[in-house]
Amino acid sequence: MNGATQDSAGGGEGSIVIDEPFAPAGSWALETDDAFVLSKAGCLETLVSRTAKGELDPMLATSWKQTTPMNWKFVLRDGVTFQNGDPLDAQAVVGALQHALKAKAPSAGFSPAAISGVKALDKKTVVITTPEPDPLVPERMATPNTGILAPGAYKTAQTNPKSTCTGPFTLAKEVPQQSVHMKRNDDYWGGRPKLASAEVRFIADGAKRTTQIQTGEAQLVRKLPATSTNSLKGTSGTHVDTAETSRTTSLILNNKKAPFDNEKVRRAIQAAIDTTKINQAVYLGTARPAVGPFAPNEPFAPSGAKPVKADPAKAEQLLAEAGVKPSSINVRLLTYTEGAGFADLAAVIQDQLKAIGVKVTIKTADYASLEPDMLSGDFDMTLMSRNHLGDMPDPVGFLEADYGCDGKFNISHFCDKEMDFLIKRAGTTTNRGVRYAVESQAAAQLESRAVNVFLVHETESVARADQVTGYTIHPYYTLTAKLAVSSK
């Protein structure tokens, strides 16, 4: 196996190369996706962990309890030290969380709008206060954006994760935008990690990631393109894991800008797009045509929801009712290089809209260069792959961020008082079943009003060498203490 090593006994001193599609921005600001990079690389940890099934487990906190309607108490784990030897205590946790709250653009799930205060009750107890009763504080503490670093990480303007994490691996070397090299944390509170080291490479090109697993240059490759998934299945020496995910690919429409400020125009675009053909042509049948932002098997999806049936004639009728000539619609579609299959997806959408007389030009670039225009509203439409359980293990965080009037990631620039009411109600409802019912109402409205065109619910495929064991597909964790490379 090229690029991997293991000891003669198997498993204890191995090294691994992992290919990931997204690179960190470089500042290691935990309110950004850099937190997810550090979490997947086995460095950053949170008070609460999320299982692959979305349940909550203890991590740096062993227990939590809502002591008053607006106060939650978290008890820290004994015997945890940061990688620089500093003890994990309540003051260190408070400092890290307060730093997150003071960020220029705090994460959606953990912001001053959701959290009004953090304080140390004693050395082992942290109290988190909310501006109003919030039953989802533990879920908010499970996202990598609330990761805990040692006080020394925040001494300069740029966050420094070197030796300041608590996880099973520590950052040894960084090649900006290319890779990070991790080494084992022998003093890890969860037990000695099986691997001695790892190199995590950031490669946006899915075809190149596929080549690296085929040649043995990498031993674990995430987010395989659909074509690679099918070609690698049955390949000797390689195993492909596939799992349904809480991620939906959508065509995001700019609701504050003509022509998509008109609901009938949005519904026309929705009716013109054939998600079944997209699933077959782009995803080779590995995805599922979308029924809205949430997949039909998820408890917060509307009961009986089905994909919108493609109907070009209806699309033309809706445009006529809106008083908009198809030939007058000339829009630009943004697509980012890191999106698996996005080049093909953009081309299919371009053709399907051309069939009703709508002209689409395509602009492709890396995500970091496109995001400022998305957030500012200087765009027409864009492709987006979004994990609705990424901000927290409940979709209310996603709804707050993406569809609230004050949402920090409201790229569709949609604002509606009724939607805000539903989101607030979901976020303050203690009963999980009732909360899911409210979230399903919100999802149904987003679909019926064509706020965006939800295309497919994704599956994730990961290729790994047969010698790699201890891996489970997870949105937050890749390099874990259990990951190993055997000698067989």
Side-chain angles (χ1 to χ4, degrees), residues 282 333 335 341-353 362 383:
V282 180
L333 170 59
T335 176
F342 273 19
D344 292 336
L345 178 56
V348 170
I349 290 173
Q350 184 182 49
D351 285 344
Q352 291 184 352
L353 294 183
I362 300 170
L383 291 175

Side-chain angles (χ1 to χ4, degrees), residues 259-268 318 322 448-451:
F260 302 129
D261 56 349
N262 186 318
E263 182 178 321
K264 287 189 176 181
V265 174
R266 299 197 305 268
R267 289 172 54 205
L318 285 166
S448 66
R449 298 179 64 181
V451 172

Side-chain angles (χ1 to χ4, degrees), residues 222-240:
R222 291 189 62 248
K223 290 191 174 296
L224 289 172
T227 51
S228 300
T229 299
N230 290 341
S231 65
L232 286 173
K233 286 181 178 178
T235 301
S236 177
T238 302
H239 185 85
V240 177

Side-chain angles (χ1 to χ4, degrees), residues 221 223-226 228-230 232-233 239-245 283 285-288 457-464 471-474:
V221 173
K223 290 191 174 296
L224 289 172
S228 300
T229 299
N230 290 341
L232 286 173
K233 286 181 178 178
H239 185 85
V240 177
D241 299 298
T242 299
E244 294 182 351
T245 68
Y283 297 91
T286 62
R288 297 159 288 169
H457 303 302
E458 299 178 33
T459 57
E460 180 173 345
S461 292
V462 176
R464 56 182 172 85
Y471 175 74
T472 301
I473 293 177
H474 195 288

Side-chain angles (χ1 to χ4, degrees), residues 258-342:
F260 302 129
D261 56 349
N262 186 318
E263 182 178 321
K264 287 189 176 181
V265 174
R266 299 197 305 268
R267 289 172 54 205
I269 299 299
Q270 181 188 56
I273 291 177
D274 190 330
T275 57
T276 299
K277 287 186 177 179
I278 283 173
N279 182 34
Q280 294 300 325
V282 180
Y283 297 91
L284 306 182
T286 62
R288 297 159 288 169
V291 302
F294 311 137
N297 61 303
E298 295 183 292
F300 26 82
S303 178
K306 295 182 179 180
V308 173
K309 186 177 180 180
D311 190 341
K314 180 180 178 181
E316 292 171 351
Q317 178 185 342
L318 285 166
L319 288 177
E321 291 175 4
V324 176
K325 293 182 179 180
S327 59
S328 70
I329 303 178
N330 188 343
V331 292
R332 186 173 64 169
L333 170 59
L334 304 183
T335 176
Y336 48 91
T337 54
E338 298 92 337
F342 273 19

Side-chain angles (χ1 to χ4, degrees), residues 1 6-11 237 465-469 485-488:
M1 181 193 301
Q6 57 279 320
D7 66 0
S8 58
D466 285 346
Q467 293 94 331
V468 176
T469 60
V485 177
S486 72
S487 59
K488 295 181 181 180

Side-chain angles (χ1 to χ4, degrees), residues 46-47 74 90-103 110 115 117-119 126-128 140-141 143 145-149 154:
T46 50
L47 296 184
F74 290 78
Q91 288 294 345
V93 171
V94 168
L97 295 180
Q98 287 180 341
H99 181 86
L101 290 173
K102 294 175 183 177
F110 193 79
I115 305 296
V118 183
K119 68 177 182 179
V126 174
V127 175
I128 297 176
R140 297 183 187 277
M141 304 314 299
T143 172
N145 295 124
T146 61
I148 307 301
L149 296 177
Y154 310 107

